[in-house]
Amino acid sequence: MEEASLLWLLFLTSLLSCTTNQASLTVSPSSSQMFEDEFVSLSCEEDDSSAGWTVWRNTSVTTRTQCGDLGKWGRPAGSSCNISSISKLDSGVYWCESREGATSNTINITVTVVLQSPVLPVMEGHDVTLTCRTKTPPSNPTADFYKDGSLIRTEPTGHMTIHHVSRSDEGLYKCRNSSGGESPSSWISVTEKPTTTAPPTSAASAPPTTAASPPDSSSYHLVFGLLRHLVVFCPYCISTVLMVSLYRHRPTGNERPVSMAMTPPTQAEEGLDDVYDDVITAVTTEHHF
């Protein structure tokens, strides 16, 4: 009975020690978002150093690996782990774990590379410079630049300049540095040049011809106005001339205009004349008696 009680007491003591000897994972700098090539230190703050706490992680490449394991990542320093130049491949979940299998809290670390690009649309014909930036200047600034998922070119200086951009240069750009860190994609838009600064073309030369049309229309209006005045005043002029002409040829005094034109007598008129002569002769004869 005493042995059973002793075993039960030892079990409770070991269980209590396991629950009380917990570790807490801290990260310096205190942020879950890290720049490429930044120095990062992860520490297991523990109550009992004899528990043998170490830093572990899961990433998209490897699962459940310990700091300093086969020299793949990190450098252990007691219960801490130092990463001298963190990269995109170091993004993942970190935690502390003891020899007995106890675990601490977890921290999700994301490593980012920043692609410096224009926020506002770029005008056609201008130059655009893209920079693959990290918090601290890397020893090897070489970077690959991508457009719509396709590699454009590799720049040893870490920045790329697009000369005389056009509408075909619009798209999603990103960069990847020499340590494998990749930036989020950024959209670059291009706007057309204003029409006032566009080079002269056949379409652009059309406005001057339309601008020259007003003088022609005004001359037409002048001609039409002149014709209208002529049409209105011509009858008055003609009537005035006729009245003046009639006034000058009017008859004077009591004279009546006599037509001098003589028409030859007709046969009927000649017959009447003969009868008239006979009548006059008869009357004259009677008068003598």
Side-chain angles (χ1 to χ4, degrees):
M1 185 69 180
E2 293 181 356
E3 293 180 358
S5 299
L6 182 61
L7 291 176
W8 180 251
L9 180 61
L10 291 175
F11 174 76
L12 291 177
T13 303
S14 61
L15 181 62
L16 181 64
S17 63
C18 288
T19 55
T20 56
N21 292 336
Q22 293 292 319
S24 176
L25 177 64
T26 60
V27 59
S28 178
S30 181
S31 175
S32 60
Q33 300 286 332
M34 304 292 177
F35 278 102
E36 282 277 323
D37 300 319
E38 194 171 16
F39 177 83
V40 178
S41 177
L42 300 112
S43 301
C44 297
E45 296 181 352
E46 53 186 347
D47 297 332
D48 185 8
S49 59
S50 62
W53 294 91
T54 55
V55 179
W56 293 69
R57 76 176 186 183
N58 289 333
T59 66
S60 59
V61 180
T62 59
T63 303
R64 191 173 171 76
T65 57
Q66 186 178 354
C67 175
D69 187 13
L70 302 177
K72 292 181 180 180
W73 69 277
R75 180 174 295 179
S79 59
S80 298
C81 181
N82 298 325
I83 303 175
S84 59
S85 180
I86 198 168
S87 68
K88 183 77 173 180
L89 298 177
D90 294 317
S91 297
V93 179
Y94 292 77
W95 71 93
C96 295
E97 188 171 325
S98 67
R99 285 192 296 264
E100 289 78 10
T103 58
S104 68
N105 59 303
T106 60
I107 294 178
N108 194 346
I109 295 177
T110 303
V111 183
T112 61
V113 176
V114 176
L115 175 66
Q116 286 184 330
S117 60
V119 178
L120 299 176
V122 183
M123 188 177 296
E124 281 185 325
H126 289 194
D127 297 341
V128 176
T129 299
L130 307 178
T131 303
C132 201
R133 189 178 68 86
T134 57
K135 186 174 183 179
T136 57
S139 57
N140 181 14
T142 302
D144 299 329
F145 291 87
Y146 297 81
K147 176 181 179 291
D148 297 330
S150 300
L151 176 65
I152 303 174
R153 59 176 179 265
T154 300
E155 293 290 346
T157 58
H159 60 265
M160 178 186 70
T161 300
I162 305 174
H163 298 282
H164 309 296
V165 296
S166 62
R167 295 299 295 271
S168 61
D169 293 316
E170 281 189 339
L172 285 172
Y173 288 80
K174 66 179 180 180
C175 68
R176 180 179 297 167
N177 61 13
S178 57
S179 60
E182 184 175 301
S183 71
S185 297
S186 298
W187 176 264
I188 295 180
S189 59
V190 180
T191 59
E192 295 181 355
K193 282 186 176 181
T195 54
T196 54
T197 59
T201 59
S202 58
S205 61
T209 58
T210 56
S213 59
D216 295 338
S217 61
S218 62
S219 62
Y220 288 142
H221 288 305
L222 180 61
V223 173
F224 289 148
L226 182 59
L227 292 176
R228 182 181 61 186
H229 285 80
L230 289 176
V231 170
V232 172
F233 288 105
C234 274
Y236 292 100
C237 294
I238 294 173
S239 61
T240 303
V241 171
L242 290 176
M243 291 178 67
V244 171
S245 177
L246 292 175
Y247 179 79
R248 291 181 61 185
H249 292 83
R250 75 186 187 283
T252 58
N254 297 324
E255 294 179 357
R256 293 184 178 178
V258 178
S259 176
M260 300 302 294
M262 300 296 293
T263 57
T266 61
Q267 186 177 1
E269 291 176 347
E270 290 180 356
L272 291 173
D273 290 341
D274 291 340
V275 173
Y276 179 78
D277 291 340
D278 292 340
V279 171
I280 293 300
T281 301
V283 171
T284 302
T285 303
E286 291 179 0
H287 178 71
H288 285 297
F289 284 117

